[in-house]
């Protein structure tokens, strides 16, 4: 049994979220859930989780605005993005925003658990800062 960590699941798919919760609790972790990005963002501040599992597409606020909110902030928990989206540009953008892993649905639970272990081992970090406007123009 691993050391108990607090993991926040932000996903509007209740069936998937509850399934992930059951597996993580069986692994010895404590889990809190949020059903949209706005509530997830608030839960990060309220609960100070050790790791966040974040869906990309949700009502009210999706995963990208949540990631963008934490840009440049310190003590940000590692974030794993899960999505049914196939686009490689979406993956590249999520990685650019600092996710520790990007997992496409459907996925094997073992794959998610590997990502959770990796994220928990990494610990809190500073999310990448927004690029300087001059750098963006230079790079084009």
């Amino acid at each position: 049994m691993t050391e108990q960590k607090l993991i926040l699941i932000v996903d509007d798919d209740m069936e998937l979220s509850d399934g992930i919760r059951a597996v993580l609790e069986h692994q010895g972790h404590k889990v809190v859930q949020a059903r949209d990005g706005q509530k997830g963002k608030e839960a990060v501040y309220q609960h100070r989780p050790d790791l966040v599992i974040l869906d990309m597409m949700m009502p009210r606020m999706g995963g990208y605005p949540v990631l963008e909110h934490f840009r440049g902030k310190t003590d940000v928990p590692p974030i794993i993005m899960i999505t049914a989206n196939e686009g490689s540009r979406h993956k590249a953008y999520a990685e650019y925003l600092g996710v520790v892993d990007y997992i496409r649905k459907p996925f094997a639970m073992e794959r998610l658990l590997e990502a959770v272990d990796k994220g928990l081992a990494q610990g809190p970090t500073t999310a990448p800062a927004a690029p300087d406007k001059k750098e963006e123009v230079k790079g084009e």
Side-chain angles (χ1 to χ4, degrees):
M1 193 70 71
T2 60
E3 177 189 349
Q4 186 179 48
K5 298 287 186 174
L6 178 61
I7 299 173
L8 168 63
I9 302 169
V10 185
D11 197 327
D12 61 316
D13 181 337
M14 291 175 54
E15 188 176 326
L16 177 62
S17 183
D18 289 345
I20 293 171
R21 177 186 190 140
V23 169
L24 291 172
E25 286 177 343
H26 182 73
Q27 295 286 314
H29 300 296
K30 184 175 179 191
V31 178
V32 292
Q33 294 169 284
R35 299 292 180 209
D36 63 57
Q38 183 62 41
K39 295 231 183 281
K41 190 172 71 169
E42 294 166 7
V44 169
Y45 292 112
Q46 180 182 359
H47 297 287
R48 308 297 301 162
D50 297 296
L51 179 92
V52 177
I53 298 171
L54 176 66
D55 188 24
M56 180 195 302
M57 297 174 65
M58 296 175 283
R60 253 182 112 198
M61 178 185 281
Y64 286 126
V66 174
L67 291 173
E68 290 164 349
H69 169 80
F70 288 108
R71 291 207 54 159
K73 293 189 170 53
T74 58
D75 204 27
V76 176
I79 300 173
I80 298 167
M81 181 167 271
I82 57 175
T83 181
N85 190 296
E86 293 291 325
S88 60
R89 287 184 309 175
H90 294 281
K91 180 179 190 242
Y93 187 55
E95 289 170 346
Y96 172 75
L97 292 173
V99 298
V100 296
D101 212 333
Y102 182 94
I103 302 174
R104 288 188 177 96
K105 299 174 188 176
F107 52 83
M109 199 55 70
E110 293 79 19
R111 169 71 175 89
L112 180 64
L113 291 175
E114 287 170 7
V116 166
D117 289 343
K118 175 182 163 187
L120 289 173
Q122 175 181 313
T125 186
T126 299
D132 185 6
K133 293 286 184 204
K134 291 177 186 171
E135 286 181 34
E136 279 186 69
V137 173
K138 245 189 200 176
E140 292 182 316

